[in-house]
Amino acid sequence: DIVMTQSPDSLAVSLGERATINCKSSQSVLYSSNNKNYLAWHQQRPGQPPKLLIYWASTRESGVPDRFRGSGSGTDFTLTISSLQAEDVAVYYCQQYYTTPPTFGQGTKVEIK
Amino acid sequence: QVLLVESGGDVVQPGKSLRLSCAASGFTFSNSGMHWVRQAPGKGLEWVAVIWYDGSTKHYADSVKGRFIISRDNSENMLYLQMNSLRVEDTAVYYCARGGGATYDMDVWGLGTTVTVSS
């Protein structure tokens, strides 16, 4: 199984400041035939189901604010929230969909400082 | 809009069975792979099972293989999870999720249904 490891486990950021979450996979999730990284980011606000934010490592889902940016390739990925808003308080999960079983990182909890 | 509504969660004793349902609407269900994903209390997300758009292929997490069965009824836009030989560690919120275009991705999530396994 591909193991997804996120860092940090939690972070507190002031409103309007940048939040950065890292995700590392135990093997590459870059599919060479189409040059796509099979990596998604999901957001789970308190008491709510998860919601897809980003897929193909850097493509924002429709309706997701452009302050959310995904980057990286191969085994190392980053989710950046450029200017944290109150509604961004949530747990963020990276997920690989390169192969079965699809696996998630342990989650990173983002709070307001 | 795309909507997934799970039902069937309950409190059951270890060793018993339960069937979860997920009603889909707002998209062409028969064109989409579907997943079950669970979340134990206070824990992260754990993928459980996937079924391809036509039901021809199914994959399971090792933790549920041989005990859970995923199925679908494309005529009714319904997804199911038959859960047998339930264990305490199966206690979780169970979400159904629509597969995106890449087999093992998930682009829409349901609200979830709670399963509690306890004696």
Side-chain angles (χ1 to χ4, degrees):
Chain A
D1 297 3
I2 297 178
V3 177
M4 308 299 291
T5 304
Q6 293 179 227
S7 62
D9 289 334
S10 64
L11 73 161
V13 176
S14 299
L15 288 171
E17 295 301 306
R18 174 174 300 198
T20 302
I21 301 169
N22 300 301
C23 173
K24 189 174 185 67
S25 57
S26 61
Q27 66 186 73
S28 176
V29 298
L30 174 63
Y31 194 38
S32 57
S33 66
N34 60 10
N35 201 37
K36 285 182 179 290
N37 287 283
Y38 284 56
L39 189 284
W41 290 94
H42 301 271
Q43 175 195 59
Q44 187 174 32
R45 292 174 172 142
Q48 294 191 18
K51 171 190 169 186
L52 175 66
L53 284 182
I54 287 171
Y55 56 98
W56 300 133
S58 61
T59 302
R60 276 188 301 275
E61 177 72 329
S62 176
V64 173
D66 60 7
R67 64 179 180 272
F68 291 92
R69 178 176 177 268
S71 62
S73 185
T75 61
D76 292 279
F77 301 90
T78 300
L79 175 67
T80 302
I81 309 172
S82 61
S83 176
L84 193 75
Q85 304 300 303
E87 61 265 31
D88 301 334
V89 168
V91 179
Y92 294 84
Y93 296 92
C94 61
Q95 179 232 333
Q96 67 81 17
Y97 50 99
Y98 182 84
T99 187
T100 188
T103 46
F104 295 89
Q106 79 276 19
T108 295
K109 186 174 185 179
V110 174
E111 299 173 307
I112 305 295
K113 185 187 293 183
Chain B
Q1 79 280 21
V2 176
L3 198 59
L4 298 171
V5 180
E6 302 91 336
S7 60
D10 204 348
V11 179
V12 296
Q13 293 179 326
K16 299 295 188 182
S17 297
L18 199 62
R19 188 175 88 152
L20 305 182
S21 301
C22 170
S25 60
F27 66 103
T28 305
F29 182 72
S30 58
N31 286 350
S32 294
M34 295 294 297
H35 299 264
W36 287 101
V37 178
R38 67 185 181 183
Q39 187 170 35
K43 302 297 184 182
L45 302 170
E46 180 190 15
W47 173 81
V48 172
V50 64
I51 185 168
W52 287 19
Y53 69 100
D54 59 355
S56 62
T57 299
K58 306 170 187 180
H59 293 292
Y60 298 92
D62 286 346
S63 58
V64 307
K65 201 172 293 182
R67 300 188 299 123
F68 290 11
I69 300 171
I70 188 171
S71 63
R72 64 191 297 158
D73 183 341
N74 284 349
S75 68
E76 297 288 337
N77 292 346
M78 294 293 296
L79 175 72
Y80 302 102
L81 186 68
Q82 178 66 42
M83 309 165 68
N84 301 322
S85 303
L86 280 161
R87 303 169 180 169
V88 171
E89 54 265 34
D90 295 319
T91 295
V93 175
Y94 285 75
Y95 298 101
C96 65
R98 186 179 74 171
T103 307
Y104 302 117
D105 57 336
M106 300 143 204
D107 66 353
V108 179
W109 297 73
L111 295 176
T113 189
T114 301
V115 174
T116 303
V117 185
S118 173
S119 54

